[in-house]
Amino acid sequence: MSGKGALIRGYRLGTALLEPVAAGLLQWRRRRGKEDPDRLAERRGYASVRRPNRPLIWLHGASVGETVTLLPLIARLQKRGLAVLVTSGTVTSARLLAARLPAGAIHQYLPLDVPRYMRRFLAHWQPELCMICESEIWPNLLIEAQRRNVPVVMVNGRMSERSFARWYKRPQAARFLLSCFEACLAQSQADAERLAQLGAPRVSVAGNLKFDVPAPPADADTLAILDGMTTGRPVWIAASTHPGEDELVLSAHLALKPYLPKLLTIVAPRHPQRGPAIEALAQANDVAAARRANGENPERDVDFYVADTLNELGLLYRLSQVAFLGGSLVEGIGGHNPIEPAKLGCALLHGPHVHNNAEIFAAFDRDGGSREVADAQALAGAVHRWLSDPASARQAARAAGHTAAELGGAINRTLHAIEPLLMRVALGQRESAP
């Protein structure tokens, strides 16, 4: 353990000694709906399916955003005849992947970062290569993979200013953990510079894989039904909202209603379980609301449609002319990915708190595809300008779509960068063949 520093040694020892506590933590999370009760053993490293009998590439994304980002990479790896294992850490990401993973790809929950759990996981899956999306740095995962000679690559790598400041205070630990990566493929030059300054030895810029993710799908029959119901109405969506934003969206709706009497406001909360509370908020303000989770549709007498379901943003964006991206009017979230609505013809709005996707929003703002709003009044004004002038909204939507297309190509640069590792996998397969 020399060279790792007291912090890493303490972490390793602490997570090993607290293994019984980890099991209790999983049960606590299960009772609160944060773990899948039928797959809890996966979080302790027990596999729920057999390993395919061919070279296997392991990809990991923390939650919904990261796992969606990996989809084009998964498809390209499968075309090479490789088995693909995808891990994530949230129930919502597992549900999304169940709907969107290509046939043959396997999903498992990532084990908690306990040494024995990670050893158990790696012993079963025996991956030839591991790719970790964005900024997931788990010490036991990295150390146990290194002990088994499994190369680990950071893809779509991020290192925000906040994360950089935290790691900068622990230079020895940061340098050691980043040295465990075979390569770090950063989203931007700023990310690459921060990673290199912290000690990552092999850093390059590949671009943002999010721009290469296909637009989320929508069931054609359902889309036709809802499109018929909303034809002739100005429609906008507040997507991935968080507590504190729903009130602002409702205030904007109330301000707009006198000027746009047929207005339909769609609210898709980031966490669907908040649907009943959002509906109650609307009803308390005498706004006619309906919830999609109850099987209700945006009928003509519905003004505020709470879309509290999973995996339907592709449908909802296709119904909307304007999309506000949540997590950006309240502090601490950092803003959610605007690329999906940009690809589906929406003009974009966002609040000032977008540090998680700052460069993406800056590009959309610069090219005219998105606008920043500071509060409910500004949100109402921006929505009104675009919904009352459809030609202007279409122009902004075209600009957003153009920006999304122009910034693509990271998938090819990523595959080019990891080609030597993929060739090593292929050579190993041939050498082991009888």
Side-chain angles (χ1 to χ4, degrees), residues 296-373:
E296 298 165 341
N297 286 320
E299 308 285 355
R300 292 289 167 175
D301 60 346
V302 172
D303 294 332
F304 205 78
Y305 191 47
V306 183
D308 51 346
T309 52
L310 288 170
N311 304 331
E312 289 201 306
L313 280 176
L315 171 71
L316 302 169
Y317 286 142
R318 286 174 169 89
L319 298 174
S320 307
Q321 293 101 53
V322 177
F324 164 73
L325 278 303
S328 63
L329 277 175
V330 291
E331 295 186 15
I333 308 300
H336 292 297
N337 176 13
I339 299 170
E340 291 182 345
K343 290 187 174 185
L344 292 174
C346 294
L348 308 176
L349 296 170
H350 63 89
H353 308 294
V354 293
H355 58 265
N356 278 342
N357 292 285
E359 293 188 1
I360 297 176
F361 279 108
F364 283 124
D365 287 352
R366 181 190 63 238
D367 297 342
S370 66
R371 294 178 181 175
E372 180 180 317
V373 294

Side-chain angles (χ1 to χ4, degrees), residues 27-76:
Q27 292 298 331
W28 180 84
R29 287 174 55 83
R30 178 190 62 78
R31 289 192 294 271
R32 282 154 181 76
K34 295 184 177 182
E35 297 289 347
D36 186 335
D38 296 326
R39 299 174 60 183
L40 207 59
E42 293 176 23
R43 298 287 267 158
R44 294 186 289 120
Y46 291 105
S48 59
V49 296
R50 297 180 64 180
R51 185 197 188 280
N53 189 25
R54 63 183 191 277
L56 182 138
I57 309 299
W58 167 28
L59 299 98
H60 173 69
S63 188
V64 171
E66 296 85 357
T67 51
V68 168
T69 298
L70 291 170
L71 288 174
L73 190 53
I74 293 165
R76 296 284 285 271

Side-chain angles (χ1 to χ4, degrees), residues 175-192:
R175 182 172 296 277
F176 168 73
L177 292 173
L178 289 171
S179 73
C180 294
F181 287 93
E182 186 80 11
C184 292
L185 309 179
Q187 292 182 18
S188 69
Q189 186 63 39
D191 291 309

Side-chain angles (χ1 to χ4, degrees), residues 5 13 33 37 54 89 97 126 129 136 141 145 225 232 251 255 266 340 361 415:
L13 179 61
R54 63 183 191 277
L97 289 172
Q126 300 178 36
L129 173 63
E136 286 277 280
L141 183 159
I225 292 169
S251 294
I266 302 173
E340 291 182 345
F361 279 108
L415 286 168

